[in-house]
Amino acid sequence: MVDLSIILPVYNHAPYIKQAIDSILMQKVNFTYEVLIGEDCSTDNSREILKGLEKDLPSKFHIFYREKNMGGKGEGNFNDLYKRMKGRYLIVLEGDDFWTYAYKLQKEYDFLEAHPDYIAVAHDTEVVDEHGNKMHWTYPCCRKSEYTIWDFRKGLLAGQTTTIMVRNYMNDPSIDTRLLPSNFPGDRKKAFLFIANGRVRCFPEKWSAYRLVVTHGSSFSATSRLQPPDFKAPLDYYYSLYDYACKHNVDENVKLVTEQLYFNYLFRIVLRKKINEISYKDLKGAFQKLRYPVRTSAYTIMQSLLWPYHKINGKIESIKYEKATGLR
């Protein structure tokens, strides 16, 4: 066993992969770690670049060249690397992102070692373009010292993926990581699992860079905007959180918030008739099963009243995002 497993998935990251690896090599730490790199049959020359770098990498780096793409929009690659982990802690560094502070890992490791009641620790991040230039866009993460279920309800994350060091919950038999299937971003699911099973600390410093490229490429940010609206995916996602909270011994606030998120979205779907097979009968059935009918109803009514504001604010934020990313 080692102290930390660094998971580095690679797919079409040729221009960036060396910078990601260099940001690992620059880390100054007093603990042991392994680096598990999965090259998922890229269509660019990522594999050739890795093979060129491999001969000079320390023995703690392990590269897995896939014979065929692992599928699942990258999840197959991730899942295989997770199964190979030997670390007490884990962190993910995607092949197009990089760390900017030499003591980042040490700071996070020291915190988790000193605070066994915390499951994870995160920090803020710079957002950069494909050339590494800082962008005028702020990542939607928690900016308090502790990430809570109330931040999750607002749509915030504890931090961008590569900022988060977490106890190896995937090898912890006391933590159930199984959520019902939903076609929704994995970082949202992980944020929920963290907050449902422990506490999460947030540092305000920016110790990493998140590369945001939306005009081209194969990243989620680039491909998701081209897809037609999928109203069922969020419904499946919110139900999966609600189902998990109902079946597990989690904090009462987690049970409340997951119920509110699920019922509020179901109410909107039925009211606007976005999914033909979902009707008022389904809404009535869901209401009858509510654990907190008064508080959940009040939340749903309040969100309905605030819908015009959310719509206008969402449009404003969308314009800001499009200007920052070059879409407008």
Side-chain angles (χ1 to χ4, degrees):
M1 177 172 282
V2 296
D3 292 312
L4 175 68
S5 293
I6 301 172
I7 304 299
L8 204 169
V10 176
Y11 183 72
N12 289 353
H13 292 150
Y16 319 120
I17 185 61
K18 184 178 185 302
Q19 187 172 25
I21 290 175
D22 286 344
S23 76
I24 297 175
L25 293 171
M26 80 171 187
Q27 293 298 307
K28 300 182 185 300
V29 300
N30 62 11
F31 56 83
T32 60
Y33 67 86
E34 62 178 358
V35 183
L36 305 180
I37 303 175
E39 199 294 301
D40 203 14
C41 290
S42 299
T43 58
D44 64 5
N45 63 330
S46 294
R47 178 164 298 201
E48 289 71 24
I49 291 174
L50 280 173
K51 287 185 175 181
L53 297 171
E54 188 174 13
K55 62 182 183 298
D56 297 320
L57 294 175
S59 60
K60 67 185 71 175
F61 281 72
H62 309 280
I63 305 179
F64 304 94
Y65 299 104
R66 311 303 188 186
E67 294 183 3
K68 62 179 182 179
N69 186 274
M70 302 290 281
K73 298 180 180 179
E75 283 194 19
N77 192 22
F78 270 106
N79 291 337
D80 179 74
L81 295 175
Y82 289 148
K83 290 176 183 176
R84 298 174 186 271
M85 292 186 303
K86 298 177 181 177
R88 295 187 298 117
Y89 302 116
L90 77 93
I91 192 166
V92 173
L93 175 63
E94 297 199 58
D96 53 349
D97 299 330
F98 57 98
W99 296 326
T100 59
Y101 177 49
Y103 294 94
K104 169 209 153 53
L105 295 182
Q106 188 68 54
K107 293 279 189 180
E108 294 184 303
Y109 175 86
D110 288 344
F111 180 86
L112 290 175
E113 285 285 280
H115 299 86
D117 52 328
Y118 281 79
I119 190 173
V121 58
H123 56 78
D124 203 348
T125 186
E126 295 285 1
V127 181
V128 301
D129 64 17
E130 59 184 312
H131 305 295
N133 301 313
K134 292 182 181 179
M135 300 176 68
H136 299 292
W137 187 69
T138 302
Y139 194 84
C141 63
C142 175
R143 287 179 171 75
K144 301 183 299 183
S145 61
E146 183 151 345
Y147 181 66
T148 70
I149 192 63
W150 308 112
D151 299 307
F152 181 83
R153 190 175 72 171
K154 294 175 184 176
L156 298 175
L157 296 171
Q160 190 269 336
T161 296
T162 196
T163 73
I164 304 171
M165 184 183 291
V166 61
R167 299 185 190 279
N168 193 341
Y169 63 101
M170 294 187 179
N171 290 340
D172 186 342
S174 69
I175 297 178
D176 185 0
T177 62
R178 295 169 299 176
L179 291 169
L180 293 177
S182 64
N183 185 24
F184 214 74
D187 53 359
R188 300 281 168 181
K189 299 174 186 177
K190 290 175 184 176
F192 170 73
L193 287 173
F194 297 161
I195 206 63
N197 290 284
R199 301 174 67 185
V200 181
R201 177 61 186 263
C202 300
F203 293 143
E205 292 85 1
K206 295 182 179 181
W207 292 337
S208 66
Y210 165 57
R211 199 180 304 272
L212 181 59
V213 181
V214 300
T215 54
H216 59 277
S218 56
S219 69
F220 175 81
S221 299
T223 57
S224 60
R225 69 183 184 85
L226 303 176
Q227 303 300 317
D230 182 355
F231 297 102
K232 192 172 186 301
L235 182 64
D236 291 341
Y237 163 69
Y238 288 129
Y239 181 76
S240 73
L241 308 185
Y242 175 52
D243 174 78
Y244 185 97
C246 288
K247 293 178 178 177
H248 294 79
N249 183 27
V250 298
D251 184 85
E252 285 298 311
N253 286 331
V254 174
K255 293 181 183 293
L256 171 63
V257 167
T258 56
E259 180 179 285
Q260 290 176 334
L261 290 172
Y262 167 62
F263 188 79
N264 176 60
Y265 190 79
L266 179 63
F267 177 81
R268 287 167 51 195
I269 287 297
V270 171
L271 193 66
R272 295 177 175 84
K273 299 180 180 179
K274 294 296 186 181
I275 304 177
N276 292 332
E277 60 267 29
I278 304 294
S279 67
Y280 281 98
K281 183 179 179 181
D282 298 294
L283 185 64
K284 181 180 178 181
F287 180 81
Q288 292 172 341
K289 296 177 182 178
L290 295 181
R291 182 189 293 258
Y292 312 96
V294 175
R295 297 179 70 181
T296 296
S297 297
Y299 175 78
T300 301
I301 293 170
M302 181 60 68
Q303 292 304 303
S304 297
L305 293 174
L306 291 173
W307 176 246
Y309 164 77
H310 290 318
K311 193 170 183 178
I312 294 171
N313 188 60
K315 184 63 176 177
I316 293 173
E317 291 301 316
S318 178
I319 292 172
K320 291 180 181 178
Y321 177 80
E322 290 175 357
K323 285 182 177 180
T325 56
L327 291 174
R328 179 182 288 263

